[in-house]
Amino acid sequence: MAEAIAVKQSPFSWEGTDSTGKRVKGKTVAADEAAVRAELRRQGVVPTKVRKQSALFQSKGKVTSEDIAVFSRQLATMLTAGIPLVQAFDIVGSGHENPAMAELILAIKADVEGGTALAEALAKHPLYFDDLYVNLVEAGEQAGALETLLDKIATYKEKTEAIKKKIKKALFYPAAVLVVAFVVTTILLIFVIPEFESLFKGFGADLPAFTRMVIGLSEFVRSQGWLLAILIGGTIGGYLWLKKRSKRMREIQDRIVLKLPVIGAIMTKAAIARFARTLSTMFAAGVPLVEALDSVAGATGNIVYELAVLDMKDEVATGQRLQRAMYNTELFPNMVIQMIAVGEESGSLDEMSGKVADFYEEDVDNAVDSMSSLLEPMIMAILGVLVGGLVVAMYLPIFKMGQVI
């Protein structure tokens, strides 16, 4: 048999009118402009403009995990409605707000049109579709239930994205306020305090100790601030570099985070929620437990739990029950272990782990709201002490002078 010659596919944008005379537009991938026009006419669209996208346009935008979650839900909904896979890709990809995501979808569509299995086409883009995603799609294709598995994937992605947003919300507010406090304090020390210092030189009296301390701090920041900025920037840069390249560094950080007051409890609950949600999704798809635990480990979002789940996988592979393996890690609450035990005994591990995930996802939601309410007055108090302290330090000599007069 003659070997097929691979034809390079390029992205095109197009405009035209459909069978009702309505103006439509979209994007597609094809070998050339003639192929685009032929495909549009086959779909009942009269093309009025077809344009090949430039490399610069193609590079715009960034595919986010939220884009992948929305794409999963759209594809699952269309397949459930009976729309053919290639047509579903065309509908989802055409006119997508994110050019990078549209390009990704149309590239996958081109592979599928060429006869490649969907799982194989997704596996070509590991930055956006991890092993868990690809394995579930492959299981759906083999079982002839792709729409059902995509629905489970979409639900899984939506739940995990919701957890991520909650964690970001928990960390963003205090971090943002502290950054504002640092910037305001720095501005006061560099620009405002020196003005008061020149004013106080004409007093001819000793300044209060607190005022002298603040003026000394201002002089240090003005004279050695550049050195301090380099030190802080170097420390942050070194930390990020080490974190990216050292697994041991990430493990130390994750262990410290889990032991922090308030935030540690939220991160623990989030890791357990991810563990349970992924386990439920994988097991419901018919993936064997040992193989499922491999994907579950990477989905926990915390290297401490990741290593623990990998240890659990080794124990389960030797015949140990999952509940016992979880107990041995000393990382899971008794309630979680008991529910998993019930799931193992009754043969409904996917259902019970799903209930665990629902419980902990709601718990994370409530904990983040509670933490925000608790931190708000504390952060405002810290901000007040920092800025108010500088203001009071500058006005103390003026109050002292008023008392003398």
Side-chain angles (χ1 to χ4, degrees), residues 382-393:
I382 293 171
L383 190 59
V385 168
L386 281 174
V387 179
L390 294 177
V391 173
V392 169

Side-chain angles (χ1 to χ4, degrees), residues 21-334:
K22 181 181 176 183
R23 292 185 62 81
V24 290
K25 61 181 180 178
K27 298 182 182 69
T28 189
V29 176
D32 51 34
E33 183 178 331
V36 176
R37 292 182 179 277
E39 175 63 21
L40 290 174
R41 282 192 289 269
R42 189 182 67 80
Q43 296 176 11
V45 176
V46 178
T48 56
K49 185 188 297 183
V50 177
R51 187 186 316 163
K52 186 175 181 179
Q53 292 181 331
S54 66
L56 177 64
F57 180 75
Q58 294 170 41
S59 65
K60 287 184 178 180
K62 179 183 177 183
V63 178
T64 65
S65 53
E66 189 172 353
D67 287 328
I68 299 298
V70 173
F71 159 75
S72 303
R73 173 56 64 196
Q74 290 175 325
L75 193 59
T77 303
M78 289 187 183
L79 290 182
T80 303
I83 298 174
L85 183 60
V86 172
Q87 188 180 347
F89 270 110
D90 205 30
I91 294 171
V92 174
S94 299
H96 201 286
E97 293 180 357
N98 184 347
M101 187 63 195
E103 184 179 339
L104 173 64
I105 294 170
L106 295 175
I108 297 169
K109 173 202 163 192
D111 284 336
V112 173
E113 275 185 317
T116 304
L118 178 57
E120 189 179 340
L122 296 175
K124 292 181 180 180
H125 308 278
L127 286 176
Y128 313 117
F129 304 100
D130 55 17
D131 290 341
L132 168 66
Y133 200 113
V134 173
N135 290 341
L136 289 175
V137 169
E138 186 176 11
E141 286 184 304
Q142 291 175 354
L146 182 58
E147 63 277 4
T148 303
L149 264 296
L150 277 171
D151 183 68
K152 291 183 182 297
I153 292 171
T155 301
Y156 166 75
K157 283 289 184 182
E158 288 162 355
K159 296 286 186 180
T160 51
E161 281 304 304
I163 285 285
K164 283 182 185 177
K165 286 181 180 178
K166 286 295 176 182
I167 298 299
K168 287 179 181 177
K169 178 183 175 183
L171 300 177
F172 176 78
Y173 179 72
V177 175
L178 290 177
V179 167
V180 170
F182 175 78
V183 171
V184 170
T185 302
T186 303
I187 291 173
L188 288 174
L189 289 173
I190 294 175
F191 299 107
V192 179
I193 303 302
E195 297 297 325
F196 280 91
E197 183 184 359
S198 59
L199 175 66
F200 295 153
K201 285 180 179 177
F203 274 18
D206 291 336
L207 296 175
F210 186 34
T211 304
R212 291 200 306 271
M213 183 188 76
V214 171
I215 290 175
L217 179 61
S218 173
E219 290 174 348
F220 173 78
V221 170
R222 279 179 288 149
S223 62
Q224 305 294 331
W226 61 272
L227 185 62
L228 192 62
I230 291 174
L231 182 63
I232 293 173
T235 302
I236 295 173
Y239 160 75
L240 294 175
W241 182 87
L242 195 60
K243 178 186 174 185
K244 187 176 181 180
R245 288 165 175 77
S246 171
K247 188 174 182 180
R248 178 61 180 164
M249 176 66 182
R250 294 198 302 273
E251 184 180 353
I252 291 171
Q253 175 193 273
D254 284 353
R255 287 190 186 279
I256 292 173
V257 167
L258 291 178
K259 292 179 181 179
L260 291 176
V262 184
I263 291 177
I266 293 176
M267 299 302 284
T268 298
K269 292 171 182 176
I272 293 173
R274 289 192 188 107
F275 163 84
R277 179 63 61 195
T278 311
L279 180 63
S280 173
T281 305
M282 294 290 286
F283 208 72
V287 179
L289 182 57
V290 175
E291 187 180 332
L293 288 174
D294 236 347
S295 297
V296 171
T300 55
N302 186 291
I303 198 169
V304 176
Y305 276 87
E306 180 180 342
L307 295 173
V309 174
L310 290 175
D311 289 340
M312 288 163 48
K313 184 195 82 168
D314 293 338
E315 291 186 37
V316 171
T318 59
Q320 184 72 269
R321 294 179 71 87
L322 178 59
Q323 56 175 298
R324 173 53 58 180
M326 291 174 65
Y327 178 80
N328 292 340
T329 65
E330 299 182 354
L331 288 174
F332 295 91
N334 285 331

Side-chain angles (χ1 to χ4, degrees), residues 340-352:
I340 294 297
V342 171
E344 282 191 295
E345 294 291 341
S346 62
S348 56
L349 184 59
D350 56 333
E351 183 180 346
M352 295 309 292

